[in-house]
Amino acid sequence: MVRAYSQEHTYKHPWERVTSASWRKFADPENKRILSHILEVDTLNHKVDSSSGKLYTTRAITIHAPGPWFIRKIIGQDICHCVESTVVDAKTRSMQLATRNISLQKYIEVQEKIHYDPHPDNPDKWTICRQETSIHIRPLSALASMAEKIEQKCVDKFQQNSAKGREVMERMCKYLEAEASGISI
């Protein structure tokens, strides 16, 4: 079975500020405490398509493996490697991120998509963030009956981490707003 959920959040900041915050959220020392499940982020490549003007970026993200501790003990791994692909179209003011795990796939598959677009009600001052996540635990023969419960625990953890991510994004947006105004915080 696959658990899927979607969330929507409105940042009361312009698209340019929110997308800048998205790029900087993992580098800020204060955010590392809040996002303690993120161990490392490395940019693998980035390029600008000269014909479309779109920016394409791929990052490797290493995180604490999701799910209950006893599952991490069974699979013998505490970390998970993910790949995040990002496309930024400054002309249409759209940023799309797609993240998926590349390790632990025989146990769990996680796919997350995030879209940042100008909010339709206030496109110059607000940004809408739409997040879609799907989690699929591959049943282990001994734990097949527990797969649904484990998936739900993973969903709960991902939702908690999403809330932390929104907190970090709000903090970064306020920092960038102050920076643009020449105020130090």
Side-chain angles (χ1 to χ4, degrees), residues 48-61:
V48 175
D49 182 307
S50 58
S51 61
S52 69
K54 293 180 182 178
L55 169 66
Y56 295 87
T57 303
T58 305
R59 299 195 293 185
I61 301 174

Side-chain angles (χ1 to χ4, degrees), residues 9-11 13-15 18 116-119 125-129:
H9 179 76
T10 299
Y11 291 100
H13 300 278
W15 179 85
V18 172
Y116 295 107
D117 297 295
H119 194 287
K125 295 186 179 181
W126 296 354
T127 304
I128 189 158
C129 171

